[in-house]
Amino acid sequence: MFLSVFDIFKIGVGPSSSHTMGPMTAAARFLDALRAGDARVPGAGAPARLECRLHGSLAFTGKGHATDRAVLLGLLGHRPDTLDPDEAEAALARLAVERRAAPPGLPPMALDPEGAVIFDYGPPLPGHANGMVLSAYDAEGRLHLRETYYSIGGGFVLTEAELARDAAHAPVDEDVPFPFRTAAQMLRMCRESGLSIAGLKRANEETRMSRAALDRGLDRIWEAMDACIARGLSQEGTLPGGLGVRRRAAAIRRQLEAERGANMPPPHVANDWISLYAMAVNEENAAGGRVVTAPTNGAAGVFPGVVKYYLEHCPGARRSDVREMLLTGAAIGGIIKFNASISGAEVGCQGEVRSASAMAAAALCTALGGRPEQVENAAEIALEHHLGMTCDPVRGLVQVPCIERNGLGAVKAVAAASLALRGDGAHVVPLDACIETMRQTGRDMDSRYKETSLGGLAVNLPEC
């Protein structure tokens, strides 16, 4: 199995990889399909009007996740990885006046910012909880092109045909030296090759790019993560969305810095630093800032929070270790995505924060000198102790309980890495068994607790 480190860690915008980045990407892909013209309905004229219908979780929590805004930006020609937030606001302001889209390579098309994105609260589409249907009509109202897209988590998007093809055919091994699909295969390959988990991942990546290009890409990912932490630590005020959640990272940072010179600080203050870094990222995400999926936006703070803790608080930490941490985290995240899910709409928050915690635990264990068996153990510990976690965002906003949940996910990751390093790698529950348990738990979980905001905290706060 080959899933690139740059598929797991993608630079984009908040607040959600599945509800913001995915729909924006789907809309941009729809424009590509219009340009290609291959699936045009026979007899239809040139495209003159655009429409999008959101289904399932995209409809129920789309307002809180700014899904409508993301779709409109995508139909205007923007993509998550290159989006300039200032230009996005200007583009939406122009759309409110002009009420049309004129993306490059296509004729001007009517795009009503108030009515073109329809929230359909009926049954979800059959392929996935995050479904959306994009349509283009000609000047006479005849259908020109229609395509169904599914945002399957972490910013990944599949058309209906692509989803069916993936379900019907097991993926074949890619032409890479170490095509591991499971943790057991990964550990066997480590033993046989003498490489670390990061070494396996690096060898696979270098079949697609040079070592220098890979390292530049890894450095760019960490720089984006670190910049997000820095922004989150410096911003104050109330997050958008109407819930009245105050940013806390900047104030907590000032408190912790003021306490640094105090005699005998409590040992558990380290947990506050870990939580702080993670929460800073997710406050930025909730504000619609630039973040990196790790593996999703809703869980974007866990991994960088742990890496920042390692660099700032662990004796002997080296900046060069971050590359190995990213490669290790991507290896674990790829196994989870392949065998279960990283989508909150599919398996609840255990697929997001739980996966992120496992990735971060494995990465930290690697940086602290853990052997492959210990690294696998660290991921399993973190994963096991998030089993059953629901996704119940209040008002559909990626704020409560999401921001604090990232902080606690990062703390658990550090604890899991530390426990694994105290052992020899032998443990009762294999990582693969834990991943399969997550898949089954997610399958059996009531849909009210899978990113619909129809259960849990989302309905038990009277003021909401």
Side-chain angles (χ1 to χ4, degrees), residues 266-350:
H268 62 259
V269 74
N271 289 341
D272 296 341
W273 282 105
I274 299 166
S275 297
L276 170 66
Y277 298 137
M279 290 170 59
V281 170
N282 280 84
E283 288 182 353
E284 273 298 294
N285 179 63
R290 183 167 295 277
V291 298
V292 179
T293 61
T296 67
N297 280 28
V302 177
F303 195 95
V306 170
V307 175
K308 188 71 170 178
Y309 166 75
Y310 167 72
L311 292 174
E312 298 292 332
H313 300 270
C314 292
R318 299 174 301 177
R319 172 66 175 75
S320 59
D321 290 339
V322 175
R323 295 171 180 169
E324 306 307 294
M325 297 176 80
L326 287 165
L327 289 167
T328 303
I332 299 300
I335 292 172
I336 295 171
K337 177 172 170 47
F338 183 80
N339 293 291
S341 175
I342 58 171
S343 169
E346 283 188 329
V347 296
C349 197
Q350 58 175 350

Side-chain angles (χ1 to χ4, degrees), residues 79-105:
R79 294 179 183 269
D81 57 336
T82 57
L83 181 68
D84 181 323
D86 293 332
E87 169 56 25
E89 293 305 322
L92 291 173
R94 288 194 298 272
L95 178 63
V97 175
E98 299 173 358
R99 307 177 81 79
R100 70 170 191 166

Side-chain angles (χ1 to χ4, degrees), residues 177-194:
F178 302 106
F180 56 87
R181 299 184 183 186
T182 67
Q185 291 173 346
M186 178 182 70
L187 291 178
R188 176 178 56 77
M189 291 178 188
C190 285
R191 289 191 297 269
E192 293 174 352
S193 67

